[in-house]
Amino acid sequence: MTSLAIAANGLRKSYGDKTVLDGVDLAVPEGTVFSLLGPNGAGKTTAVKILSTLITADGGQAQVAGHDLAADPQAVRAAIGVTGQFSAVDGLITGEENMLLMADLHHLSKREGRQVAAELLERFDLTEAAHKPASTYSGGMKRRLDIAMTLVGSPRIIFLDEPTTGLDPRSRHNMWQIIRELVTGGTTVFLTTQYLEEADELADRIAVLNDGRIAAEGTADELKRIVPGGHVRLRFTDPAAYHHAAAALREASRDDDSLALQLPSDGSQRELRSILDWLDSAGIEADELTVHTPDLDDVFFALTSPAQPKENVR
């Protein structure tokens, strides 16, 4: 079984009479991207702050990098890196000086600090700008420097709290590539984001946090299947084949102009195989078969709407 980088059970946190986290369970395998989604105020940043030892939970237990969060927070801090919503970059000093400052905080020797700084600046394509004040950097450059600073201590787990907020599409895609490379190298990434496309693109598993609780958790595909609206569309060029199929598949909605049938489906392999087997046995050939599944936007709105029931996927 894959070891867990993060394991949390029943995390609770309140501020006065406001309950922010209400019994949150999380299981994040090592070497994966785990994304926590939720509307503003759902408790995403609070969860990150607890797991990264910045604040303490009111209840529950958690282990991060194999260390108990309450009993050994210093060991947790030694194993993690955190890039928050707001840049930790000091704009008054250069990119290299920011890196060397982090090296000093990690108690690296001057020689080792300079070596690590140079390697990371090169890795994040910041070598040319290394001696310029960080205040002159673009948003994407500052974010790259932020993550480079986080990596100075070679953390096993990195918390990225909305790392691409405010970046242009090109810078966002560059950041995605950086995250993929981190995971390829064995790092675990705990990602919160307001961009659903980002979670869909990067995350191995996704949890949707709403009203302080996990509304659903699973892979992107699993989450998409719990929202109604998925269907398979069969299109025909032969009117006879179309009418034959329409007569047999009475549950399908018809589009006589396009010679197309639409069947409710969760898009699973089992359902697709069943449809294809039926077509073969009936001697009917569809010219086009397309699968339509809800996207993460549909999932997000369904799970975070007060009118919708919540469903866990494990």
Side-chain angles (χ1 to χ4, degrees):
M1 292 181 63
T2 303
S3 298
L4 293 180
I6 300 169
N9 296 288
L11 288 184
R12 298 181 181 277
K13 184 68 179 179
S14 298
Y15 294 99
D17 59 357
K18 169 67 173 175
T19 300
V20 181
L21 297 180
D22 189 13
V24 169
D25 299 336
L26 296 169
V28 181
E30 290 181 347
T32 65
V33 178
F34 185 94
S35 183
L36 190 62
L37 300 179
N40 290 335
K44 302 186 301 296
T45 297
T46 298
V48 169
K49 286 182 176 179
I50 289 173
L51 294 171
S52 60
T53 77
L54 295 176
I55 60 175
T56 57
D58 297 333
Q61 298 177 325
Q63 291 78 42
V64 177
H67 305 289
D68 186 270
L69 202 60
D72 202 356
Q74 191 57 42
V76 172
R77 293 183 195 116
I80 67 171
V82 182
T83 298
Q85 292 183 30
F86 305 102
S87 175
V89 172
D90 186 338
L92 298 177
I93 58 178
T94 68
E96 182 183 51
E97 288 168 340
N98 272 280
M99 295 293 292
L100 294 175
L101 179 59
M102 289 301 297
D104 286 342
L105 291 174
H106 284 281
H107 307 293
L108 301 182
S109 67
K110 286 191 175 181
R111 179 180 178 182
E112 187 179 5
R114 289 192 175 278
Q115 180 180 346
V116 169
E119 289 173 353
L120 287 170
L121 287 167
E122 181 178 3
R123 178 178 177 183
F124 287 90
D125 195 25
L126 292 168
T127 301
E128 290 187 9
H131 300 293
K132 297 178 181 178
S135 59
T136 65
Y137 289 13
S138 66
M141 291 171 68
K142 285 181 181 177
R143 223 46 176 140
R144 296 204 306 275
L145 180 58
D146 236 346
I147 294 183
M149 291 164 61
T150 301
L151 293 179
V152 168
S154 301
R156 293 159 52 192
I157 301 167
I158 296 180
F159 293 91
L160 298 179
D161 194 11
E162 301 192 7
T164 63
T165 297
L167 298 186
D168 61 67
R170 183 181 298 277
S171 296
R172 184 172 298 127
H173 279 265
N174 289 341
M175 189 61 64
W176 291 358
Q177 187 57 37
I178 288 170
I179 293 171
R180 291 190 188 99
E181 290 171 359
L182 290 173
V183 176
T184 299
T187 304
T188 303
V189 174
F190 189 102
L191 171 72
T192 73
T193 179
Q194 58 180 307
Y195 300 111
L196 303 181
E197 177 194 8
E198 186 161 277
D200 202 355
E201 183 77 22
L202 294 174
D204 297 289
R205 290 188 70 79
I206 299 168
V208 181
L209 187 63
N210 188 49
D211 292 334
R213 297 185 178 185
I214 300 296
E217 181 189 340
T219 65
D221 287 341
E222 287 170 345
L223 292 178
K224 291 170 187 176
R225 290 191 192 118
I226 69 176
V227 177
H231 63 270
V232 170
R233 187 172 187 269
L234 301 171
R235 193 181 65 79
F236 303 83
T237 55
D238 180 3
Y242 166 70
H243 289 295
H244 184 184
L249 300 172
R250 296 187 180 277
E251 71 273 25
S253 59
R254 300 172 52 149
D255 183 343
D256 292 338
D257 293 333
S258 300
L259 299 182
L261 300 175
Q262 183 171 302
L263 291 160
S265 170
D266 63 6
S268 67
Q269 184 176 340
R270 177 182 53 80
E271 282 203 1
L272 292 178
R273 184 181 294 116
S274 176
I275 293 170
L276 292 171
D277 287 345
W278 180 87
L279 289 171
D280 284 339
S281 64
I284 299 173
E285 184 174 340
D287 296 276
E288 184 180 294
L289 183 151
T290 53
V291 180
H292 298 261
T293 57
D295 59 22
L296 278 187
D297 284 35
D298 299 316
V299 174
F300 183 86
F301 290 125
L303 292 173
T304 59
S305 168
Q308 294 295 330
K310 307 299 186 287
E311 179 176 348
N312 279 299
V313 178
R314 295 287 180 181

PDB file of all heavy atoms in Angstrom, residues 82-104:
ATOM      1  N   VAL A  82       5.868  25.646   2.581  1.00  0.00           N
ATOM      2  CA  VAL A  82       4.565  26.301   2.427  1.00  0.00           C
ATOM      3  C   VAL A  82       4.700  27.518   1.524  1.00  0.00           C
ATOM      4  O   VAL A  82       5.558  28.374   1.753  1.00  0.00           O
ATOM      5  CB  VAL A  82       3.988  26.745   3.795  1.00  0.00           C
ATOM      6  CG1 VAL A  82       2.609  27.369   3.607  1.00  0.00           C
ATOM      7  CG2 VAL A  82       3.916  25.577   4.761  1.00  0.00           C
ATOM      8  N   THR A  83       3.858  27.562   0.510  1.00  0.00           N
ATOM      9  CA  THR A  83       3.728  28.768  -0.310  1.00  0.00           C
ATOM     10  C   THR A  83       2.299  29.248  -0.166  1.00  0.00           C
ATOM     11  O   THR A  83       1.362  28.583  -0.619  1.00  0.00           O
ATOM     12  CB  THR A  83       4.037  28.482  -1.796  1.00  0.00           C
ATOM     13  OG1 THR A  83       5.387  28.032  -1.905  1.00  0.00           O
ATOM     14  CG2 THR A  83       3.860  29.736  -2.627  1.00  0.00           C
ATOM     15  N   GLY A  84       2.125  30.378   0.515  1.00  0.00           N
ATOM     16  CA  GLY A  84       0.790  30.860   0.822  1.00  0.00           C
ATOM     17  C   GLY A  84       0.175  31.653  -0.313  1.00  0.00           C
ATOM     18  O   GLY A  84       0.757  31.818  -1.394  1.00  0.00           O
ATOM     19  N   GLN A  85      -1.037  32.164  -0.038  1.00  0.00           N
ATOM     20  CA  GLN A  85      -1.743  32.949  -1.055  1.00  0.00           C
ATOM     21  C   GLN A  85      -0.980  34.223  -1.393  1.00  0.00           C
ATOM     22  O   GLN A  85      -1.032  34.707  -2.523  1.00  0.00           O
ATOM     23  CB  GLN A  85      -3.132  33.314  -0.544  1.00  0.00           C
ATOM     24  CG  GLN A  85      -4.088  32.157  -0.396  1.00  0.00           C
ATOM     25  CD  GLN A  85      -5.466  32.636   0.045  1.00  0.00           C
ATOM     26  OE1 GLN A  85      -5.886  33.748  -0.274  1.00  0.00           O
ATOM     27  NE2 GLN A  85      -6.163  31.798   0.796  1.00  0.00           N
ATOM     28  N   PHE A  86      -0.285  34.762  -0.398  1.00  0.00           N
ATOM     29  CA  PHE A  86       0.408  36.032  -0.600  1.00  0.00           C
ATOM     30  C   PHE A  86       1.911  35.793  -0.605  1.00  0.00           C
ATOM     31  O   PHE A  86       2.453  35.042   0.195  1.00  0.00           O
ATOM     32  CB  PHE A  86       0.007  37.021   0.491  1.00  0.00           C
ATOM     33  CG  PHE A  86      -1.474  37.230   0.582  1.00  0.00           C
ATOM     34  CD1 PHE A  86      -2.216  36.615   1.590  1.00  0.00           C
ATOM     35  CD2 PHE A  86      -2.130  37.995  -0.361  1.00  0.00           C
ATOM     36  CE1 PHE A  86      -3.594  36.786   1.662  1.00  0.00           C
ATOM     37  CE2 PHE A  86      -3.500  38.170  -0.305  1.00  0.00           C
ATOM     38  CZ  PHE A  86      -4.237  37.564   0.708  1.00  0.00           C
ATOM     39  N   SER A  87       2.578  36.420  -1.520  1.00  0.00           N
ATOM     40  CA  SER A  87       3.996  36.175  -1.744  1.00  0.00           C
ATOM     41  C   SER A  87       4.833  36.469  -0.501  1.00  0.00           C
ATOM     42  O   SER A  87       4.631  37.460   0.194  1.00  0.00           O
ATOM     43  CB  SER A  87       4.484  37.045  -2.902  1.00  0.00           C
ATOM     44  OG  SER A  87       5.875  36.909  -3.070  1.00  0.00           O
ATOM     45  N   ALA A  88       5.780  35.562  -0.243  1.00  0.00           N
ATOM     46  CA  ALA A  88       6.729  35.762   0.856  1.00  0.00           C
ATOM     47  C   ALA A  88       8.005  36.441   0.371  1.00  0.00           C
ATOM     48  O   ALA A  88       8.938  36.640   1.142  1.00  0.00           O
ATOM     49  CB  ALA A  88       7.067  34.414   1.487  1.00  0.00           C
ATOM     50  N   VAL A  89       8.046  36.799  -0.895  1.00  0.00           N
ATOM     51  CA  VAL A  89       9.219  37.428  -1.483  1.00  0.00           C
ATOM     52  C   VAL A  89       9.395  38.843  -0.934  1.00  0.00           C
ATOM     53  O   VAL A  89       8.443  39.619  -0.865  1.00  0.00           O
ATOM     54  CB  VAL A  89       9.090  37.470  -3.025  1.00  0.00           C
ATOM     55  CG1 VAL A  89      10.197  38.297  -3.641  1.00  0.00           C
ATOM     56  CG2 VAL A  89       9.085  36.055  -3.591  1.00  0.00           C
ATOM     57  N   ASP A  90      10.618  39.186  -0.562  1.00  0.00           N
ATOM     58  CA  ASP A  90      10.954  40.549  -0.135  1.00  0.00           C
ATOM     59  C   ASP A  90      11.373  41.329  -1.364  1.00  0.00           C
ATOM     60  O   ASP A  90      12.415  41.061  -1.968  1.00  0.00           O
ATOM     61  CB  ASP A  90      12.087  40.499   0.894  1.00  0.00           C
ATOM     62  CG  ASP A  90      12.385  41.881   1.497  1.00  0.00           C
ATOM     63  OD1 ASP A  90      12.034  42.900   0.862  1.00  0.00           O
ATOM     64  OD2 ASP A  90      12.970  41.926   2.589  1.00  0.00           O
ATOM     65  N   GLY A  91      10.555  42.293  -1.750  1.00  0.00           N
ATOM     66  CA  GLY A  91      10.813  43.029  -2.981  1.00  0.00           C
ATOM     67  C   GLY A  91      11.984  43.987  -2.901  1.00  0.00           C
ATOM     68  O   GLY A  91      12.466  44.467  -3.932  1.00  0.00           O
ATOM     69  N   LEU A  92      12.472  44.279  -1.693  1.00  0.00           N
ATOM     70  CA  LEU A  92      13.551  45.249  -1.533  1.00  0.00           C
ATOM     71  C   LEU A  92      14.927  44.648  -1.790  1.00  0.00           C
ATOM     72  O   LEU A  92      15.904  45.380  -1.914  1.00  0.00           O
ATOM     73  CB  LEU A  92      13.507  45.861  -0.127  1.00  0.00           C
ATOM     74  CG  LEU A  92      12.237  46.647   0.213  1.00  0.00           C
ATOM     75  CD1 LEU A  92      12.296  47.143   1.647  1.00  0.00           C
ATOM     76  CD2 LEU A  92      12.051  47.810  -0.757  1.00  0.00           C
ATOM     77  N   ILE A  93      14.989  43.321  -1.826  1.00  0.00           N
ATOM     78  CA  ILE A  93      16.276  42.673  -2.082  1.00  0.00           C
ATOM     79  C   ILE A  93      16.172  41.841  -3.357  1.00  0.00           C
ATOM     80  O   ILE A  93      15.082  41.650  -3.923  1.00  0.00           O
ATOM     81  CB  ILE A  93      16.712  41.784  -0.888  1.00  0.00           C
ATOM     82  CG1 ILE A  93      15.655  40.712  -0.605  1.00  0.00           C
ATOM     83  CG2 ILE A  93      16.947  42.639   0.339  1.00  0.00           C
ATOM     84  CD1 ILE A  93      16.044  39.758   0.523  1.00  0.00           C
ATOM     85  N   THR A  94      17.300  41.357  -3.842  1.00  0.00           N
ATOM     86  CA  THR A  94      17.321  40.625  -5.106  1.00  0.00           C
ATOM     87  C   THR A  94      16.765  39.212  -4.930  1.00  0.00           C
ATOM     88  O   THR A  94      16.603  38.714  -3.804  1.00  0.00           O
ATOM     89  CB  THR A  94      18.751  40.522  -5.660  1.00  0.00           C
ATOM     90  OG1 THR A  94      19.518  39.669  -4.792  1.00  0.00           O
ATOM     91  CG2 THR A  94      19.399  41.896  -5.757  1.00  0.00           C
ATOM     92  N   GLY A  95      16.519  38.570  -6.059  1.00  0.00           N
ATOM     93  CA  GLY A  95      16.063  37.187  -6.022  1.00  0.00           C
ATOM     94  C   GLY A  95      17.074  36.293  -5.340  1.00  0.00           C
ATOM     95  O   GLY A  95      16.725  35.441  -4.507  1.00  0.00           O
ATOM     96  N   GLU A  96      18.353  36.486  -5.657  1.00  0.00           N
ATOM     97  CA  GLU A  96      19.395  35.675  -5.036  1.00  0.00           C
ATOM     98  C   GLU A  96      19.445  35.923  -3.532  1.00  0.00           C
ATOM     99  O   GLU A  96      19.596  34.972  -2.735  1.00  0.00           O
ATOM    100  CB  GLU A  96      20.753  35.992  -5.652  1.00  0.00           C
ATOM    101  CG  GLU A  96      21.884  35.138  -5.083  1.00  0.00           C
ATOM    102  CD  GLU A  96      23.231  35.522  -5.655  1.00  0.00           C
ATOM    103  OE1 GLU A  96      23.568  36.738  -5.639  1.00  0.00           O
ATOM    104  OE2 GLU A  96      23.944  34.615  -6.107  1.00  0.00           O
ATOM    105  N   GLU A  97      19.313  37.165  -3.119  1.00  0.00           N
ATOM    106  CA  GLU A  97      19.348  37.473  -1.687  1.00  0.00           C
ATOM    107  C   GLU A  97      18.151  36.851  -0.957  1.00  0.00           C
ATOM    108  O   GLU A  97      18.278  36.418   0.198  1.00  0.00           O
ATOM    109  CB  GLU A  97      19.388  38.992  -1.490  1.00  0.00           C
ATOM    110  CG  GLU A  97      20.738  39.599  -1.867  1.00  0.00           C
ATOM    111  CD  GLU A  97      20.696  41.114  -1.960  1.00  0.00           C
ATOM    112  OE1 GLU A  97      19.592  41.693  -2.104  1.00  0.00           O
ATOM    113  OE2 GLU A  97      21.776  41.737  -1.889  1.00  0.00           O
ATOM    114  N   ASN A  98      16.999  36.810  -1.606  1.00  0.00           N
ATOM    115  CA  ASN A  98      15.854  36.117  -1.024  1.00  0.00           C
ATOM    116  C   ASN A  98      16.172  34.645  -0.798  1.00  0.00           C
ATOM    117  O   ASN A  98      15.850  34.068   0.243  1.00  0.00           O
ATOM    118  CB  ASN A  98      14.627  36.242  -1.937  1.00  0.00           C
ATOM    119  CG  ASN A  98      13.788  37.480  -1.669  1.00  0.00           C
ATOM    120  OD1 ASN A  98      12.995  37.509  -0.728  1.00  0.00           O
ATOM    121  ND2 ASN A  98      13.968  38.500  -2.504  1.00  0.00           N
ATOM    122  N   MET A  99      16.818  34.031  -1.793  1.00  0.00           N
ATOM    123  CA  MET A  99      17.174  32.615  -1.691  1.00  0.00           C
ATOM    124  C   MET A  99      18.195  32.384  -0.576  1.00  0.00           C
ATOM    125  O   MET A  99      18.080  31.442   0.210  1.00  0.00           O
ATOM    126  CB  MET A  99      17.735  32.122  -3.023  1.00  0.00           C
ATOM    127  CG  MET A  99      16.738  32.142  -4.178  1.00  0.00           C
ATOM    128  SD  MET A  99      15.410  30.954  -3.954  1.00  0.00           S
ATOM    129  CE  MET A  99      16.319  29.420  -4.107  1.00  0.00           C
ATOM    130  N   LEU A 100      19.196  33.250  -0.486  1.00  0.00           N
ATOM    131  CA  LEU A 100      20.237  33.091   0.536  1.00  0.00           C
ATOM    132  C   LEU A 100      19.670  33.313   1.941  1.00  0.00           C
ATOM    133  O   LEU A 100      20.120  32.686   2.904  1.00  0.00           O
ATOM    134  CB  LEU A 100      21.386  34.064   0.268  1.00  0.00           C
ATOM    135  CG  LEU A 100      22.178  33.786  -1.019  1.00  0.00           C
ATOM    136  CD1 LEU A 100      23.220  34.878  -1.246  1.00  0.00           C
ATOM    137  CD2 LEU A 100      22.844  32.415  -0.959  1.00  0.00           C
ATOM    138  N   LEU A 101      18.680  34.192   2.037  1.00  0.00           N
ATOM    139  CA  LEU A 101      18.021  34.397   3.322  1.00  0.00           C
ATOM    140  C   LEU A 101      17.331  33.109   3.778  1.00  0.00           C
ATOM    141  O   LEU A 101      17.418  32.711   4.946  1.00  0.00           O
ATOM    142  CB  LEU A 101      17.001  35.535   3.207  1.00  0.00           C
ATOM    143  CG  LEU A 101      16.190  35.878   4.467  1.00  0.00           C
ATOM    144  CD1 LEU A 101      17.115  36.275   5.609  1.00  0.00           C
ATOM    145  CD2 LEU A 101      15.191  36.991   4.165  1.00  0.00           C
ATOM    146  N   MET A 102      16.674  32.434   2.835  1.00  0.00           N
ATOM    147  CA  MET A 102      16.034  31.159   3.168  1.00  0.00           C
ATOM    148  C   MET A 102      17.079  30.116   3.552  1.00  0.00           C
ATOM    149  O   MET A 102      16.872  29.308   4.465  1.00  0.00           O
ATOM    150  CB  MET A 102      15.199  30.665   1.980  1.00  0.00           C
ATOM    151  CG  MET A 102      13.946  31.477   1.721  1.00  0.00           C
ATOM    152  SD  MET A 102      12.814  31.512   3.132  1.00  0.00           S
ATOM    153  CE  MET A 102      12.381  29.773   3.254  1.00  0.00           C
ATOM    154  N   ALA A 103      18.197  30.125   2.853  1.00  0.00           N
ATOM    155  CA  ALA A 103      19.273  29.177   3.180  1.00  0.00           C
ATOM    156  C   ALA A 103      19.775  29.400   4.604  1.00  0.00           C
ATOM    157  O   ALA A 103      20.042  28.443   5.337  1.00  0.00           O
ATOM    158  CB  ALA A 103      20.416  29.319   2.178  1.00  0.00           C
ATOM    159  N   ASP A 104      19.901  30.672   5.006  1.00  0.00           N
ATOM    160  CA  ASP A 104      20.318  30.980   6.379  1.00  0.00           C
ATOM    161  C   ASP A 104      19.291  30.472   7.386  1.00  0.00           C
ATOM    162  O   ASP A 104      19.648  29.932   8.435  1.00  0.00           O
ATOM    163  CB  ASP A 104      20.490  32.492   6.554  1.00  0.00           C
ATOM    164  CG  ASP A 104      21.749  33.015   5.876  1.00  0.00           C
ATOM    165  OD1 ASP A 104      22.637  32.193   5.576  1.00  0.00           O
ATOM    166  OD2 ASP A 104      21.830  34.233   5.643  1.00  0.00           O
TER     167      ASP A 104
END
